[in-house]
Amino acid sequence: MLVFILRRLAQAIAVMLTVAFMAFMLFQYVGDPVTHLLGQDATPAQREQLREDLGLNKPFPVQFARFVGNAVQGEFGLSLRQGQKVSRLLIERFPATLELAVVAALMALLVGVPMGVYAALKRGSVMSQVLMTVSLLGVSLPTFLIGILLILVFAVQLQWLPSFGRGELVSLGPWTTGLASLDGWKHLVLPATTLAMFQLTLIMRLVRAEMLEVLRTDFIRFARARGLPDRLVYFGHALKNTLVPVITITGLQLGSLIAFSIITEQVFQWPGMGLLFIQAVAFADVPVMAAYLCLIALVFVCINLVVDLLYFAVDPRLRIESPAAGRAA
Amino acid sequence: MKTRHLVSMGLAFALSAGTAQAVTLRVANQGDAQSMDPHSLNESLQLTFTGNVYEPLVARDKELGLTPGLATRWTQPKPTVWRFELRRGVKFHDGTPFTADDVVFSFNRAAGAGSDMQGYTNTFKEVRKLDDHTIEVETLTPFPILPDVLTQVYVMSRKWCEENKALTPVDRRKGIENAASFEANGTGPFRLKERRPGSRTVLVRHAAYWDKVEGNVTEVVFTPIGNAATRVAALLSGEVDVIEPVPLQDVERIKASPKLKVMQGPELRTIFLGMDQKRDELLFSNVKGKNPFKDKRVRQAFYQAIDIETIKSRVMRGAALPMALMVGPGIRGFSPDQNKRLPYDPEASKRLLAEAGYPSGFEVALNCPNDRYVNDADICQAVAANLARVGVKVNLQTETKVTYFPKILRRDTSFYLLGWTPSTYDAHNALSALMASPTDKGQGQFNLGAYSNAKVDELTLRIQSETDQARRNAMIREAFEAHAADIGHLPLHQQSLAWAMKKTVTLVQLADNFMPYKWVTLSEKAK
């Protein structure tokens, strides 16, 4: 177990260094920060001075080492566009994105798993076929289209729900939450649904397929033969065994929900990190882009780690295997 | 009837008491002000927003004419000296009285390190306080348009800046943030209540404002909505009252709604094409050993090949005003009778090209932004198609403004599209920035093709210090004539502003794209 975790950690650090390197390369290739910072009126002497000040004339490895050193402390310099610390901007925006992603993930799970189970158990019924067809739409429609459609129907036509922003916010220290007010929840419904749509259908289809697989196995038949009630067979035995891949996917998808909420945030003007990133790209605000890349990589790495650990909890075979391997060595 | 009377009485009472009975205007814009510091960034959106909170000495009226702001009167005792008499009884939002010290402080702040307003203050030699309500600005050379320039320089409270350590503007280079980036204390009709960069900014009426406010808006909620479709949806769903800008393709759709209206009007910005007239061989062309743009016949051929009316109707959906001059109506020095385009005439164009030695045309690259001006890339495509008809093959290169501007500012182009709004609302600015020969002092800084005409250069310098308005206008006219005779650039059109709002909203649309909330009135709720 310990060896496993250590190995995982080493891998994680390697991944982070690689991403940091790529983020750092942005500085070299996406525009010249000096041009952005000084504007057009600056003289060559002023430009040279700024290069000196920013350490841009140092050799490449030195610059990279400094970048990593600062990044480890969560310091990514200043946003070229807003003139504020990048770390501060990200902290301001992170709650919005996290709340959106978590609510979307919960929606996807709470709706997707039961739907998948239903589609597997009532295989062939009209309802489950409808579900399967609708889910195909969910997988194949692009996010921005779903978002715009939802806005058109629920905000413009029916005027039930707001189309943009986070609504009324409550501050809990540095954390601002929209979850504490009805208005906040209203604002959350459409973007969270948009974001959840793809995950939901994915989870549903996955659960269904796994469930069908498991239902065919011997131990389910034995359980049935022993006269266990259906509910226990389906939910105690079958569902539990379908959950390993579902956990993996959900975990990874939580990462991508956070990472790829970019489109949803843009459509709904959701003031999260994705919107920040889009704005940064439009202005070639490299420090923000670099920080965002590193942060997202960190989220993925952490989630992967947690997912791996969760395997141990859910699948007993893994728990037996690794100590055995350790003893044999 | 009686109830309404009661309501309005109640409203008046609530207003005088400064409580929450608010008339709220909800505005959505494509972008956000970058900072609340009025000296940190010289950009329209930034200045229009902070202009509701802060005020200049000299303001603009609804026709963009000059009108007293924080100064009640200004005179020019000497060619290089302007004297301003300051308004009495004005208070900042925190209650501090406004005096000459604040003006001297603010002008020095705007002229100092970290300020982005130095373009407006670089003619200053000294700003002096004569007494508590009089100041003088001495300029380095005679500077007749100082009052125009000062309309963009807002006044802050010296005391507040000292107390809040906001003595210098936010220096984007060093990322120095200070209180002025997120808080504000001006003399304007609105004060800042809440500021969340990129998501929401709230203004409320300044109860002790010195002037009578025409509009009835007491609270403004400003939201940036970058996505055009979402912005339109927010208006259609009634969540916001005003949006700006409206994407051209949505104009008809909004007009069709019984509750909404669209206001369109010419913007001060003129869109034009520029040509490299300096290099002996174009960088991006198949013509070797010479530069066809040095030949006036070629420039004229290009001009007459462009079908501006079709660009107006098809590309701009009618929302453009074709131009023959480099400045449009609304800019001082513009004369309508001079604004006559050469006719669209592909045949003449072919003939001119043949005379110049290019009977079968040539190839040249056209650089164009695709996210800066209204339908910019589409305009370039239309121009390329027009030129193809007379045999000129245009290799169109469109790209985002982020990479486009550094490139063309390096002069790394042979043929380019640019839009220009003279920031002083005066023709001199366009002459100096776009049409005069480039010098190392910043003249001709955006004359990227290095068009050069000694007469234009000389006139530009004389216009700068000519104080007699009639003589000045005559010289501007002469300079424009010389430029037009040379076909120094190819002016295309003035793009239109398009704002959309509920029918219950009455406001004033200014050609400089400013939206003063003090002129906004909301009538009875729409629904």
Side-chain angles (χ1 to χ4, degrees):
Chain A
M1 176 92 178
L2 190 67
V3 177
F4 174 82
I5 292 178
L6 283 179
R7 201 188 303 147
R8 280 300 183 161
L9 274 178
Q11 283 172 357
I13 289 171
V15 169
M16 287 310 297
L17 273 178
T18 315
V19 173
F21 184 73
M22 282 158 60
F24 177 71
M25 292 305 282
L26 278 178
F27 286 91
Q28 316 297 315
Y29 293 112
V30 184
D32 181 1
V34 173
T35 337
H36 289 287
L37 286 169
L38 283 181
Q40 293 118 16
D41 300 335
T43 61
Q46 282 173 312
R47 286 175 200 278
E48 217 30 63
Q49 182 60 42
L50 181 58
R51 273 181 196 288
E52 180 83 39
D53 293 351
L54 294 175
L56 291 175
N57 49 1
K58 299 241 166 57
F60 188 86
V62 177
Q63 286 193 48
F64 182 57
R66 232 178 48 161
F67 175 79
V68 172
N70 286 335
V72 167
Q73 298 163 34
E75 204 47 73
F76 286 90
L78 297 162
S79 157
L80 304 182
R81 185 169 73 94
Q82 311 204 17
Q84 295 184 41
K85 277 191 176 174
V86 174
S87 46
R88 181 183 152 160
L89 285 174
L90 287 176
I91 289 168
E92 270 176 16
R93 298 300 192 98
F94 189 67
T97 297
L98 190 69
E99 282 179 6
L100 178 62
V102 168
V103 170
L106 286 177
M107 275 170 84
L109 269 180
L110 295 180
V111 181
V113 173
M115 269 168 67
V117 172
Y118 178 86
L121 297 182
K122 303 274 168 162
R123 197 177 162 205
S125 79
V126 179
M127 187 60 195
S128 83
Q129 269 167 354
V130 169
L131 281 182
M132 291 306 286
T133 316
V134 171
S135 76
L136 254 186
L137 273 181
V139 176
S140 43
L141 279 184
T143 315
F144 73 89
L145 194 62
I146 296 178
I148 294 282
L149 283 177
L150 288 177
I151 288 181
L152 195 64
V153 174
F154 293 100
V156 175
Q157 301 293 340
L158 301 171
Q159 309 212 344
W160 289 350
L161 293 165
S163 62
F164 72 93
R166 279 182 87 191
E168 199 180 303
L169 298 181
V170 178
S171 294
L172 309 168
W175 191 274
T176 55
T177 180
L179 303 181
S181 69
L182 181 65
D183 190 49
W185 277 101
K186 274 189 183 164
H187 280 81
L188 194 56
V189 176
L190 292 186
T193 310
T194 307
L195 196 55
M197 200 64 93
F198 178 79
Q199 319 298 339
L200 189 157
T201 47
L202 192 74
I203 288 174
M204 173 197 153
R205 297 179 82 86
L206 189 73
V207 168
R208 174 179 174 275
E210 286 292 324
M211 193 85 174
L212 287 174
E213 193 80 2
V214 174
L215 286 176
R216 273 197 289 271
T217 54
D218 287 342
F219 84 92
I220 296 292
R221 275 192 224 140
F222 286 132
R224 282 248 175 74
R226 280 173 57 206
L228 292 179
D230 275 359
R231 198 165 46 88
L232 198 62
V233 175
Y234 292 146
F235 296 98
H237 295 277
L239 184 60
K240 198 176 170 195
N241 279 286
T242 65
L243 283 185
V244 172
V246 174
I247 288 175
T248 318
I249 295 292
T250 313
L252 289 179
Q253 293 298 332
L254 182 63
S256 52
L257 279 177
I258 294 176
F260 304 121
S261 63
I262 290 179
I263 294 167
T264 308
E265 290 192 5
Q266 219 231 339
V267 170
F268 290 95
Q269 193 65 29
W270 189 261
M273 293 190 303
L275 192 61
L276 184 71
F277 182 70
I278 284 279
Q279 290 164 349
V281 171
F283 284 82
D285 195 344
V286 179
V288 173
M289 288 155 73
Y292 181 80
L293 281 183
C294 291
L295 187 70
I296 293 302
L298 187 67
V299 168
F300 270 91
V301 164
C302 290
I303 287 177
N304 266 325
L305 203 60
V306 172
V307 166
D308 284 344
L309 296 179
L310 275 178
Y311 281 167
F312 281 91
V314 178
D315 192 338
R317 280 169 300 178
L318 287 174
R319 255 175 299 189
I320 301 160
E321 249 167 47
S322 20
R327 242 174 273 138
Chain B
M1 198 66 197
K2 204 171 179 184
T3 37
R4 187 180 292 168
H5 186 64
L6 274 175
V7 167
S8 62
M9 261 177 60
L11 193 68
F13 176 75
L15 284 183
S16 59
T19 50
Q21 256 304 341
V23 179
T24 302
L25 176 75
R26 294 159 304 170
V27 182
N29 196 299
Q30 190 173 29
D32 194 9
Q34 302 289 315
S35 159
M36 289 295 109
D37 189 321
H39 303 147
S40 67
L41 190 67
N42 177 16
E43 186 236 359
S44 303
L45 178 55
Q46 171 81 17
L47 293 175
T48 176
F49 194 85
T50 50
N52 287 297
V53 176
Y54 289 101
E55 289 180 296
L57 290 192
V58 183
R60 296 245 174 226
D61 61 24
K62 292 173 184 172
E63 276 78 45
L64 292 181
L66 297 183
T67 181
L70 288 177
T72 50
R73 227 163 70 83
W74 46 95
T75 52
Q76 204 172 2
K78 273 190 278 178
T80 55
V81 176
W82 281 90
R83 184 176 297 161
F84 295 87
E85 282 170 33
L86 305 181
R87 193 174 294 281
R88 287 156 199 265
V90 175
K91 282 196 164 56
F92 284 98
H93 297 158
D94 65 354
T96 316
F98 157 78
T99 68
D101 287 332
D102 298 310
V103 181
V104 174
F105 164 77
S106 296
F107 283 5
N108 288 329
R109 188 180 190 269
S115 163
D116 203 36
M117 309 306 283
Q118 289 164 355
Y120 299 111
T121 56
N122 57 16
T123 52
F124 288 13
K125 187 176 172 200
E126 196 197 352
V127 183
R128 297 185 281 268
K129 167 184 171 180
L130 297 190
D131 61 54
D132 269 357
H133 293 97
T134 318
I135 66 133
E136 269 185 5
V137 177
E138 186 175 347
T139 53
L140 295 165
T141 54
F143 195 64
I145 59 164
L146 186 76
D148 290 80
V149 169
L150 288 183
T151 56
Q152 312 269 305
V153 183
Y154 300 149
V155 176
M156 301 176 81
S157 157
R158 178 174 139 187
K159 176 167 158 272
W160 186 84
C161 286
E162 279 169 354
E163 282 170 0
N164 289 282
K165 301 192 176 57
L167 291 171
T168 53
V170 178
D171 190 340
R172 303 208 304 150
R173 182 171 87 112
K174 302 196 182 101
I176 299 168
E177 293 168 28
N178 58 39
S181 346
F182 307 106
E183 296 162 41
N185 179 39
T187 56
F190 289 89
R191 66 188 163 80
L192 183 69
K193 184 180 160 202
E194 185 189 334
R195 168 74 178 153
R196 269 197 219 128
S199 60
R200 184 181 146 96
T201 307
V202 181
L203 301 180
V204 291
R205 242 314 242 271
H206 169 37
Y209 187 55
W210 55 269
D211 198 8
K212 197 173 146 296
V213 174
E214 269 179 43
N216 67 349
V217 170
T218 55
E219 186 185 49
V220 180
V221 179
F222 178 94
T223 320
I225 302 184
N227 186 303
T230 310
R231 196 162 60 244
V232 173
L235 181 72
L236 291 173
S237 66
E239 289 164 81
V240 297
D241 305 308
V242 180
I243 63 167
E244 189 243 321
V246 183
L248 290 181
Q249 67 270 16
D250 288 329
V251 166
E252 290 309 316
R253 155 113 218 240
I254 293 174
K255 278 185 181 163
S257 158
K259 285 184 192 159
L260 305 174
K261 62 181 174 184
V262 176
M263 276 177 91
Q264 280 177 307
E267 192 183 343
L268 289 181
R269 189 184 307 283
T270 304
I271 306 288
F272 61 89
L273 296 165
M275 300 150 285
D276 178 359
Q277 295 163 59
K278 178 158 196 220
R279 290 186 179 87
D280 290 325
E281 181 180 302
L282 289 180
L283 290 180
F284 308 103
S285 166
N286 67 347
V287 179
K288 295 299 161 202
K290 57 179 173 173
N291 177 348
F293 286 136
K294 287 194 177 195
D295 189 328
K296 186 194 150 188
R297 288 170 297 189
V298 173
R299 301 197 294 269
Q300 187 174 343
F302 272 50
Y303 190 133
Q304 295 201 283
I306 295 172
D307 180 3
I308 198 74
E309 286 301 327
T310 307
I311 292 180
K312 176 185 170 179
S313 62
R314 296 283 161 75
V315 178
M316 302 300 287
R317 297 179 193 233
L321 188 64
M323 285 305 270
L325 295 178
M326 297 290 280
V327 300
I331 301 295
R332 184 163 39 192
F334 170 83
S335 10
D337 61 304
Q338 267 189 314
N339 195 27
K340 298 248 164 29
R341 282 184 67 88
L342 294 176
Y344 164 59
D345 188 347
E347 290 312 315
S349 179
K350 277 186 203 158
R351 208 165 48 240
L352 284 162
L353 279 174
E355 278 173 28
Y358 307 97
S360 48
F362 58 94
E363 271 184 46
V364 65
L366 170 60
N367 295 104
C368 198
N370 57 22
D371 55 358
R372 178 64 187 90
Y373 310 112
V374 180
N375 294 348
D376 38 15
D378 301 332
I379 297 170
C380 289
Q381 254 170 23
V383 166
N386 284 164
L387 287 170
R389 288 190 55 190
V390 300
V392 175
K393 180 163 182 260
V394 170
N395 300 314
L396 187 56
Q397 292 172 5
T398 64
E399 61 197 303
T400 168
K401 60 191 174 199
V402 177
T403 51
Y404 179 73
F405 283 103
K407 177 152 103 192
I408 62 164
L409 287 171
R410 281 198 310 269
R411 270 75 173 157
D412 197 5
T413 177
S414 300
F415 189 29
Y416 61 92
L417 178 114
L418 197 66
W420 192 261
T421 304
S423 51
T424 52
Y425 306 169
D426 186 281
H428 170 261
N429 173 276
L431 281 166
S432 165
L434 304 175
M435 290 138 87
S437 313
T439 65
D440 52 2
K441 285 186 187 129
Q443 181 178 280
Q445 203 186 344
F446 289 86
N447 181 359
L448 307 177
Y451 161 75
S452 182
N453 177 327
K455 194 167 170 205
V456 173
D457 292 351
E458 188 217 322
L459 285 167
T460 303
L461 286 180
R462 277 172 50 205
I463 290 164
Q464 184 170 317
S465 46
E466 177 57 66
T467 47
D468 183 276
Q469 206 48 247
R471 256 187 304 185
R472 197 167 180 277
N473 280 339
M475 285 195 285
I476 290 174
R477 200 182 169 80
E478 202 182 334
F480 281 169
E481 239 159 50
H483 177 264
D486 275 347
I487 313 199
H489 294 78
L490 310 177
L492 295 176
H493 56 240
Q494 271 193 296
Q495 62 187 33
S496 282
L497 296 173
W499 301 358
M501 64 217 74
K502 290 184 178 160
K503 283 205 171 130
T504 50
V505 176
T506 317
L507 48 68
V508 179
Q509 186 175 45
L510 298 174
D512 59 359
N513 208 5
F514 274 42
M515 188 192 285
Y517 300 135
K518 66 177 177 184
W519 292 334
V520 181
T521 301
L522 271 161
S523 52
E524 294 283 302
K525 287 254 178 245
K527 281 172 280 177

